[in-house]
Amino acid sequence: MNGYGTALAVCTCGGTLCGRLDVERIVAAPGFASALVIHDLCLPAGSARVASWLRETAADSLVVAACGVPAAVQAVVEVSRAAGVAEHRTSLVDLREGCAWVHTQADQATAKALRMVASAAAGVRESTPPVPDVEVRPSGRVLVVGTGPGSLAAAARLKDLGCEAVLISGTLERFEGQAGEFKARIRTDQGVECHAVGAVIAAGDAPARMPAVQAGQRVAFLLEGDPWPSVTESTLSAALHLARDCGCRVLVLFRDMGVAGRGLEELYREARGSGVTFVRMEEGSLRIVEAGGEWVVTLEVPGLGSVTETVDVLVSGATDALQGTRGLAEVLGVAPRKGGWAPRERALLEPVATERNGVFLIGSARGPYTTDQAVRQGEAAAMAALSVAAPGVIAVSARASVDVERCAFCLTCLRVCPHQAVTTALGQTMRVLPAACQGCGVCAAACPAGAIQITESPNRRLLAEMDALMNGPPLGGRPTVVFACANSAVPALQALGRLRLSYPAQVLVVPVPCLGRLEAVHCVRPLAAGARRVLLCGCYDRSCEHLVGPATARRVVERASALAGTLGLDPGAIHVASLAPVDWHKLGQILGVSCDDGDRNGGEASKVTAHATA
Amino acid sequence: MVGAGPAGLTAAQALAARGIPVLLAEQGPVVGGWAACYACKAATDCNLCGVCLSARVSRTMQPGAGVTLKVDAHVLGIEGGPGSFAVRLAHRPRGVDVSRCTGCGRCAELCPVAAIAQPHPQALPMAYLLDQEACLRARGEECVICREACPFGAVLLDDTPSEELVQADVVVLATGFEPYPAARKGQLGYGRLPGVITTMDLERGLWQHGPEYLSRLLPGSRRVAFVHCVGSRDLAAGRGWCSQVCCPTALRLAGRMVRELPGLEATLFFIDLQRCAPGIARLFDDLPPEIHLVRGIPGDVLSEPGGLLLTFEDVATATRRQELFDLVVLAVGMDSPGAAAGMPAAAEGFLCDLPAGVVAAGACGGPVSIPEAVGEGLRAAGAALRVLESLS
Amino acid sequence: MIVAQQKPLEDIRQMARGFRRLLVLGCGTCTTICFAGGEKEVGLLATSLRSVLGQEIEIEEAVVQRQCEWEFLDQVGEAVGRAEAVLSLGCGVGVQGIGERYPGVVVLPGLNTAFMGLTEAPGIWGERCMACGDCLLHRTGGICPVARCAKSLLNGPCGGVQDGHCEISPENPCAWVLIYDRLMQQGRLEQLEEIIPVRDWKASHSGGPRRIVRPDLREMVEEEV
Ligand SMILES: Cc1cc2nc3c(=O)[nH]c(=O)nc-3n(C[C@H](O)[C@H](O)[C@H](O)COP(=O)(O)OP(=O)(O)OC[C@H]3O[C@@H](n4cnc5c(N)ncnc54)[C@H](O)[C@@H]3O)c2cc1C
Ligand code: SF4
Ligand code: SF4
Ligand code: SF4
Ligand code: SF4
Ligand code: SF4
Ligand code: SF4
């Protein structure tokens, strides 16, 4: 019968994989309606050949065993489109970097390849059609919170780019919805305003730092806190102005001069050259006494003995610059704790974005930045906001969805989603907001009813793929199952492949969008099926794009290990490991491979720069 | 778009996402700029060094999706004005056709002198590189092994330099920086004394070799000094700016080193510690006991029988001190590569006062961190869009 | 909601031993929400039982919307028919519901039904109601002294309050301290002066199993018949 069954295409990469794998055996894998060997999937001629073959076989699903380079991924999309096979019914197996290049024994590598192919086939069989795209129609309005230079720059740039900046004077009280269609409630002196906006750019207010000083007075600035660039900027500008233009005698007491901002070192130099006295304080050596409206500042300076100055005005507490934004991050749903003024430390890994799509923090709402930095961030945020808020129609595909018939309304998804992508309202079901969802799968793992499905890998598909991988021709030893986070472990594995560093064929890899996607059952099932070890390899806590992945994984592993113990399986067989995408060495360490290949491959690094700097 | 570092890659993708066709010219063989060869600096947890971000920016770069990527293409000059720029590109011979090479590695397996190889294991594009100087043909031999071996006909043994003129409506310069040439500070011994390296060497060494690099650099030794502000905040060296990234980078590198090599002690010599954001300040507040801080910059590094002798003014105690180290790491600053593509630059060399229709992004305009460079890419994309809109 | 907790795996194994075909049946309402008996827990328990009981047993998995309704239980009739025993991951009501609907099948309780309560925080559930049959929450600031006071005192705390905590279960706050605070917050402290008279506990479980009959609703059903 035509029109059914799964087709298998195996690419040999110009024949180079043939010695490392028994390609004949792989194309003869059981369970496929038809099979084809090609040599150049990623080149136009090769993909054209696969497309015409696929049309002839009239299969309804496709497994391609090739490599993971972008050109191959692209080719699979094009081939399936040309032959009318739905995209969710296709699967690409990274046979090259993930198998042929990393295993030295052809028979074991072939056995693993057969399992990988069978796993992909089991996956497409269990795949479900994606939820239809949702249309988001942003109006081009972007909420700009704050009155500092960053907000003004953002507003101006938004206008240039065809968006409308909604500048508010009041307090943002509530903020809900998803990128492209947020609703904001603002309390002003007159009452309450509501705005529909596509994005929000939140900046702090400009701190007013010019102290009340009369010409000719003696002033001391006390910089006791961290050397924030914003503090240096405001303090030194004031100090310079007072010393140069107002005839004041100005003293700046500091520990570290924070000059990590454009122009700050120059400002520091200018202030020094204009008569401002800078004195570095060391721990515990400062004494300040108030006497008759004056302040006597005594400082122990190493090597110089003690210095005493009497001043009329003492300015301190400079870190207050950050107070203006208290609570803002919390209202926007991006604060690490209640009442938090700042985004998570992880903000250091993004220029302006936050974990919530369409919410951008800049300037003092983000950190202690200078005017120049705030302005640059404002302009960057305007461009970033454009992608979610520009007027028009955006088709968003849902990366996760709730099966309302199974949902028990436990609200767990709403509580655990790190991207504020789940909502519900009076009389409504639970809903994943597609423009907010980043497909991490944290909700799907946490849902006790199995009611949330990740479009790319629904629960049943993931389990079917794992089961098929665990059962198959012998690998020469008990398997180690590696769950690989797409953001860190997958690229690192690919690098191991490109370096041709070999690890045992018993290592079976299951890619996941985030470690937060995993449940105890995913860890215990392979063990029960005979695995020796189960490794959950992902990002570090602070580098996890989905914030909670590694922490969730540790909890899951704790439960799974306890369960393994009760089941008579090895309770010490399940581990979480953290690494960066660029740290294939660490992955090698985890898998027990030495990665230092001398200068064979990496030796090219010097050439890369030599070339670049020539 | 000139330069495919974090800034250029971001700008190119942001413009392409708005439907603007982009030509991204990169003089090197791969994208990513300097940051493509940096190490992860996580100790027990991630130290937020930003390298993950630059990796993501390269990973999500989809050639074809509106961006035409030309590697090995050095931009020589830019003429014209908004709407009618003529950009002169010099193609450097790669010896391999980027559009045909699949990275299969057959050529490298067979080359007798290892003259053809992949750029690095996460390179984009992953097409191989022919080192024409190492190739046997440079010695007059008639070797064609790699060309014959390549199943895809991708080897171009007779690749030669060429020039091309391309048209553009708007130009974004994201040409980046150069690390300060540490050898210029002769008294610090870089390039002269074997135990003296730069933070750039350490970044790349760790990235390429992993922790093994450390044990190789430092067999049996345990005292490491980091000297801050080398080629920054130094008017005598003609560099009056703070490079902003070197304080945190030195600390993160030291943090990773002391974690990887038990028994190792690291001392940071600095003028002011740039704890410039809460997340960075915390790194300095929670120092592991193996990391020591000394305020004061050593004037010179001398090779002594017991190691490398550093002489410095300890500001905290106002004393002159000397200490021996096994390894000295110079935290080099960010320098401008000079006037890129014939564009005007400030006295310090960073780009400024660009002509209409030319926008600068990233480290070519002044020191930035990776996340800031990515933000700069977004900003420049917005500025470029504005120019385009004014044209239509 | 009804809050329950899974029995230790060893206890479940002991109960299930000897049966050759077992249906693990979850409940999609209360016990799903307290993470004791939803689809995921059914799957995990089935995986575990297969692993500890091995080949000797065949295990099926199913979840119904509510085990306390016959119509929902009808939906798994065939699976129940195949099984020698049903391991219920519903509350005690569910276990008995299955037994009443399918008197011929052995029903095993997989959970210990604990109380009626709410989710205090993710992963923490607390008791709130004992179904005493004569609600007095309007007099106690909306906090139930019957369920939340270890001694079910109705007119203020005993003498054993310690730093606001119960002398019998020090991990719990004293219900009467909570009541006091709440009434104070509402400015209704005078409410405490009203003595709650000795209660007739017949409406509670002390009067034996209870039943509610609503003639209006009964007639409606009978009319249809
Ligand atoms: C030692 C050291 C360590 C550092 N470590 C960190 C760190 O840990 N974390 C961090 O956040 N930052 C770090 N930085 C800073 C970081 O390297 C920069 O922020 C970042 O690389 C800037 O990106 P960019 O795109 O602006 O420039 P670049 O990375 O310099 O990229 C510019 C690109 O343009 C290309 N190019 C230049 N001229 C031309 C031309 N004429 N034609 C075509 N192409 C051209 C270059 O080949 C290059 O690929 C470090 C800097 C130094 C010096
Ligand atoms: S976690 Fe599952 S059951 Fe709970 S509300 Fe969300 S979808 Fe419903
Ligand atoms: S997949 Fe992740 S981002 Fe999407 S709704 Fe679930 S938890 Fe939130
Ligand atoms: S230290 Fe840097 S490379 Fe390592 S995980 Fe953190 S951000 Fe990524
Ligand atoms: S043989 Fe050809 S395709 Fe393979 S790596 Fe070499 S140049 Fe590229
Ligand atoms: S960041 Fe630190 S090391 Fe770098 S120039 Fe500034 S003060 Fe010096
Ligand atoms: S059987 Fe028990 S757990 Fe299930 S709905 Fe009924 S009362 Fe709730």
Side-chain angles (χ1 to χ4, degrees):
Chain A
M1 189 170 72
N2 252 359
Y4 293 94
T6 308
L8 170 68
V10 182
C11 178
T12 66
C13 196
T16 55
L17 303 189
C18 292
R20 297 175 156 267
L21 293 170
D22 185 345
V23 175
E24 292 299 302
R25 252 182 88 199
I26 299 169
V27 283
F32 290 97
S34 52
L36 174 77
V37 180
I38 37 151
H39 308 290
D40 50 359
L41 171 75
C42 58
L43 299 184
S47 60
R49 201 154 346 111
V50 180
S52 66
W53 159 78
L54 186 59
R55 251 190 313 262
E56 272 165 36
T57 62
D60 69 347
S61 48
L62 171 69
V63 170
V64 178
C67 61
V69 306
V73 177
Q74 194 55 35
V76 172
V77 173
E78 278 162 18
V79 159
S80 52
R81 200 169 294 154
V85 173
E87 207 175 314
H88 68 281
R89 305 278 287 161
T90 65
S91 184
L92 176 64
V93 175
D94 184 359
L95 202 59
R96 191 175 77 162
E97 280 90 335
C99 181
W101 280 356
V102 285
H103 307 314
T104 45
Q105 277 168 276
D107 54 336
Q108 289 180 5
T110 305
K112 171 164 163 182
L114 282 166
R115 288 178 180 224
M116 290 166 76
V117 163
S119 164
V124 293
R125 257 172 248 132
E126 286 294 349
S127 68
T128 43
V131 187
D133 284 0
V134 179
E135 279 182 358
V136 176
R137 296 172 182 272
S139 59
R141 287 157 59 88
V142 175
L143 184 69
V144 178
V145 185
T147 53
S151 6
L152 299 182
R157 182 52 61 84
L158 282 166
K159 204 159 148 262
D160 290 341
L161 299 177
C163 285
E164 185 193 336
V166 181
L167 282 152
I168 55 161
S169 55
T171 318
L172 183 65
E173 266 190 354
R174 252 172 88 168
F175 192 74
E176 49 200 30
Q178 64 177 336
E181 43 190 35
F182 287 117
K183 280 198 195 74
R185 196 174 74 192
I186 294 122
R187 181 165 298 278
T188 66
D189 295 340
Q190 282 81 45
V192 168
E193 283 172 22
C194 288
H195 291 281
V197 293
V200 57
I201 297 174
D205 292 329
R209 290 283 310 150
M210 194 57 79
V213 177
Q214 280 140 34
Q217 277 188 316
R218 297 158 301 174
V219 189
F221 289 88
L222 183 57
L223 300 183
E224 277 197 300
D226 284 305
W228 302 145
S230 56
V231 174
T232 311
E233 178 182 43
S234 51
T235 307
L236 296 202
S237 316
L240 179 63
H241 170 68
L242 292 172
R244 198 181 47 197
D245 311 329
C246 310
C248 291
R249 192 175 143 71
V250 184
L251 180 71
V252 176
L253 299 153
F254 71 106
R255 291 214 163 84
D256 282 293
M257 187 49 64
V259 288
R262 245 171 237 191
L264 291 185
E265 174 75 6
E266 291 82 343
L267 179 62
Y268 178 34
R269 222 180 299 130
E270 195 183 346
R272 270 186 324 214
S274 306
V276 177
T277 312
F278 285 86
V279 181
R280 201 187 287 278
M281 306 178 279
E282 289 303 329
E283 289 306 327
S285 60
L286 177 74
R287 215 170 54 242
I288 301 174
V289 184
E290 195 190 348
E294 287 182 339
W295 307 84
V296 182
V297 179
T298 312
L299 192 71
E300 207 76 49
V301 182
L304 288 176
S306 98
V307 178
T308 302
E309 279 277 341
T310 307
V311 296
D312 306 303
V313 182
L314 181 74
V315 188
S316 69
T319 39
D320 284 357
L322 299 172
Q323 299 281 336
T325 56
R326 194 164 291 285
L328 183 56
E330 192 192 340
V331 177
L332 292 171
V334 295
R337 48 181 181 276
K338 252 185 139 47
W341 65 268
R344 292 181 169 75
E345 282 181 350
R346 196 183 180 284
L348 287 175
L349 287 184
E350 300 284 347
V352 289
T354 62
E355 66 270 21
R356 187 173 191 182
N357 192 18
V359 174
F360 305 95
L361 294 184
I362 62 168
S364 59
R366 189 168 196 91
Y369 294 108
T370 62
T371 308
D372 167 70
Q373 286 164 328
V375 166
R376 286 168 185 279
Q377 290 171 354
E379 292 178 352
M383 182 65 197
L386 205 58
S387 64
V388 293
V393 182
I394 308 171
V396 201
S397 46
R399 291 200 261 183
S401 52
V402 177
D403 176 349
V404 292
E405 286 171 11
R406 288 182 172 200
C407 171
F409 286 98
C410 70
L411 301 173
T412 303
C413 47
L414 182 119
R415 292 173 184 141
V416 297
C417 173
H419 302 293
Q420 326 292 340
V422 185
T423 57
T424 184
L426 196 65
Q428 285 181 9
T429 57
M430 302 306 296
R431 214 155 61 84
V432 172
L433 297 168
C437 171
Q438 313 204 0
C440 62
V442 169
C443 56
C447 172
I452 295 200
Q453 299 299 342
I454 299 303
T455 313
E456 254 188 43
S457 93
N459 294 340
R460 288 170 58 117
R461 179 173 187 164
L462 181 59
L463 285 175
E465 285 173 345
M466 284 172 52
D467 288 349
L469 208 52
M470 285 302 299
N471 297 295
L475 299 168
R478 287 169 64 197
T480 292
V481 171
V482 175
F483 290 104
C485 154
N487 288 334
S488 49
V490 167
L493 273 162
Q494 215 167 45
L496 288 184
R498 304 241 169 113
L499 288 165
R500 292 4 181 228
L501 292 167
S502 69
Y503 51 85
Q506 294 90 309
V507 173
L508 301 174
V509 176
V510 181
V512 287
C514 171
L515 291 190
R517 169 74 186 89
L518 296 168
E519 300 166 36
V521 69
H522 298 127
C523 305
V524 173
R525 220 153 134 134
L527 281 188
R532 193 170 58 86
R533 282 204 299 166
V534 174
L535 303 176
L536 288 71
C537 296
C539 299
Y540 291 92
D541 283 308
R542 276 202 288 264
S543 59
C544 173
E545 262 176 44
H546 307 298
L547 310 180
V548 298
T552 309
R554 284 194 298 273
R555 281 204 303 274
V556 161
V557 165
E558 200 178 312
R559 177 157 192 219
S561 302
L563 191 59
T566 2
L567 298 179
L569 303 165
D570 179 2
I574 316 170
H575 297 279
V576 187
S578 295
L579 61 129
V582 298
D583 201 353
W584 59 87
H585 302 278
K586 178 135 190 225
L587 185 62
Q589 239 173 37
I590 295 163
L591 298 179
V593 198
S594 161
C595 289
D596 193 23
D597 59 324
D599 288 317
R600 188 166 57 89
N601 281 293
E604 292 307 310
S606 48
K607 268 183 230 155
V608 173
T609 7
H611 194 122
T613 55
Chain B
M1 187 78 56
V2 188
L9 283 171
T10 307
Q13 292 179 65
L15 282 173
R18 307 301 315 154
I20 311 296
V22 179
L23 176 80
L24 174 55
E26 165 58 50
Q27 63 182 4
V30 296
V31 305
W34 289 97
C37 303
Y38 290 167
C40 167
K41 297 163 210 78
T44 40
D45 193 352
C46 161
N47 276 328
L48 298 167
C49 78
V51 170
C52 276
L53 174 63
S54 75
R56 185 182 82 198
V57 171
S58 303
R59 205 163 57 233
T60 51
M61 165 77 195
Q62 291 289 348
V67 181
T68 309
L69 173 65
K70 271 186 200 268
V71 284
D72 312 296
H74 179 76
V75 172
L76 293 173
I78 297 158
E79 269 149 38
S84 61
F85 284 108
V87 179
R88 210 146 49 84
L89 295 178
H91 286 280
R92 294 171 157 168
R94 185 187 187 107
V96 172
D97 180 347
V98 174
S99 68
R100 293 200 66 81
C101 173
T102 68
C104 75
R106 180 50 58 88
C107 53
E109 274 166 36
L110 298 178
C111 174
V113 289
I116 193 163
Q118 63 182 328
H120 63 74
Q122 290 179 325
L124 180 95
M126 73 177 299
Y128 275 42
L129 272 182
L130 176 68
D131 180 345
Q132 293 194 325
E133 278 159 38
C135 173
L136 287 177
R137 296 167 69 87
R139 291 182 230 156
E141 292 187 36
E142 279 296 292
C143 178
V144 288
I145 293 177
C146 56
R147 190 171 65 194
E148 301 289 291
C150 177
F152 303 99
V155 177
L156 306 169
L157 283 176
D158 303 315
D159 206 0
T160 49
S162 62
E163 280 196 18
E164 189 187 351
L165 211 57
V166 296
Q167 306 299 317
D169 293 322
V170 52
V171 175
V172 179
L173 294 176
T175 48
F177 71 101
E178 287 289 320
Y180 174 76
R184 278 207 208 151
K185 290 207 154 276
Q187 68 278 25
L188 295 177
Y190 183 68
R192 192 161 49 77
L193 302 175
V196 182
I197 61 170
T198 66
T199 39
M200 187 58 93
D201 298 332
L202 189 53
E203 285 269 19
R204 302 172 68 93
L206 270 171
W207 166 77
Q208 185 181 330
H209 302 288
E212 302 277 306
Y213 175 74
L214 295 178
S215 24
R216 218 197 279 187
L217 263 181
L218 260 183
S221 47
R222 38 169 294 272
R223 302 160 300 178
V224 188
F226 283 83
V227 180
H228 288 218
C229 300
V230 176
S232 305
R233 307 186 71 188
D234 184 351
L235 280 183
R239 279 137 181 98
W241 60 89
C242 164
S243 292
Q244 304 178 30
V245 295
C246 20
C247 275
T249 297
L251 175 68
R252 289 169 175 139
L253 285 166
R256 168 133 190 228
M257 286 178 85
V258 300
R259 176 190 59 130
E260 299 281 2
L261 300 181
L264 191 110
E265 305 261 326
T267 307
L268 311 188
F269 292 94
F270 60 92
I271 308 171
D272 295 287
L273 285 178
Q274 301 307 325
R275 308 190 296 274
C276 48
I280 292 171
R282 199 193 36 71
L283 301 179
F284 283 98
D285 295 342
D286 306 341
L287 283 186
E290 300 87 357
I291 296 183
H292 314 287
L293 300 176
V294 173
R295 196 186 296 281
I297 298 283
D300 52 19
V301 178
L302 298 173
S303 182
E304 297 276 322
L308 297 163
L309 185 68
L310 268 59
T311 308
F312 54 94
E313 196 81 44
D314 182 344
V315 178
T317 54
T319 49
R320 198 179 158 76
R321 279 172 48 198
Q322 292 196 316
E323 219 175 304
L324 280 170
F325 290 90
D326 304 305
L327 183 70
V328 175
V329 187
L330 309 179
V332 286
M334 293 171 77
D335 242 20
S336 159
M343 286 292 139
E348 306 92 62
F350 293 111
L351 298 179
C352 68
D353 299 329
L354 295 170
V358 181
V359 182
C364 59
V368 285
S369 66
I370 294 164
E372 283 173 325
V374 170
E376 281 280 281
L378 287 171
R379 189 185 62 82
L385 264 188
R386 189 171 63 157
V387 175
L388 287 172
E389 241 140 68
S390 72
L391 288 176
S392 57
Chain C
M1 128 193 70
I2 294 175
V3 181
Q5 202 173 17
Q6 229 171 73
K7 286 177 179 284
L9 185 67
E10 180 51 26
D11 294 5
I12 297 178
R13 191 179 74 90
Q14 292 290 354
M15 277 193 287
R17 224 174 33 189
F19 296 105
R20 277 166 303 146
R21 285 184 309 279
L22 188 70
L23 172 66
V24 181
L25 188 63
C27 176
T29 307
C30 309
T31 60
T32 291
I33 297 173
C34 64
F35 286 71
E39 169 168 323
K40 293 285 181 66
E41 290 301 326
V42 167
L44 196 58
L45 183 63
T47 302
S48 307
L49 285 176
R50 283 189 198 107
S51 168
V52 287
L53 297 171
Q55 299 301 319
E56 58 190 89
I57 191 160
E58 207 173 284
I59 297 175
E60 266 193 82
E61 304 166 30
V63 181
V64 291
Q65 187 74 49
R66 290 203 299 277
Q67 291 186 5
C68 49
E69 309 282 359
W70 280 31
E71 288 84 346
F72 287 131
L73 291 172
D74 284 346
Q75 294 165 358
V76 289
E78 284 180 24
V80 174
R82 284 191 291 272
E84 285 180 1
V86 176
L87 177 65
S88 163
L89 295 191
C91 67
V93 182
V95 174
Q96 294 176 64
I98 299 167
E100 286 171 33
R101 176 65 190 81
Y102 301 107
V105 73
V106 179
V107 191
L108 310 171
L111 308 183
N112 291 322
T113 307
F115 50 76
M116 280 186 280
L118 51 71
T119 313
E120 289 177 356
I124 303 176
W125 292 271
E127 180 162 15
R128 290 295 181 272
C129 173
M130 295 220 315
C132 70
D134 185 10
C135 191
L136 47 74
L137 282 168
H138 56 297
R139 299 174 132 189
T140 56
I143 290 162
C144 177
V146 179
R148 301 178 73 181
C149 165
K151 301 171 184 172
S152 293
L153 295 178
L154 299 185
N155 288 292
C158 68
V161 196
Q162 283 165 7
D163 297 332
H165 284 260
C166 174
E167 72 168 342
I168 292 180
S169 53
E171 68 280 5
N172 285 326
C174 166
W176 278 102
V177 171
L178 295 177
I179 291 167
Y180 183 89
D181 289 347
R182 174 79 58 83
L183 287 172
M184 177 148 81
Q185 189 190 353
Q186 296 177 346
R188 296 202 304 136
L189 274 181
E190 73 281 357
Q191 177 72 47
L192 290 176
E193 285 163 25
E194 204 178 292
I195 304 293
I196 301 176
V198 173
R199 279 176 46 138
D200 177 358
W201 289 100
K202 236 189 260 155
S204 80
H205 188 257
S206 309
R210 292 158 285 178
R211 159 175 282 155
I212 295 173
V213 181
R214 283 272 304 269
D216 51 338
L217 299 177
R218 280 192 60 72
E219 273 154 27
M220 189 175 75
V221 175
E222 272 160 14
E223 260 164 25
E224 277 171 20
V225 171

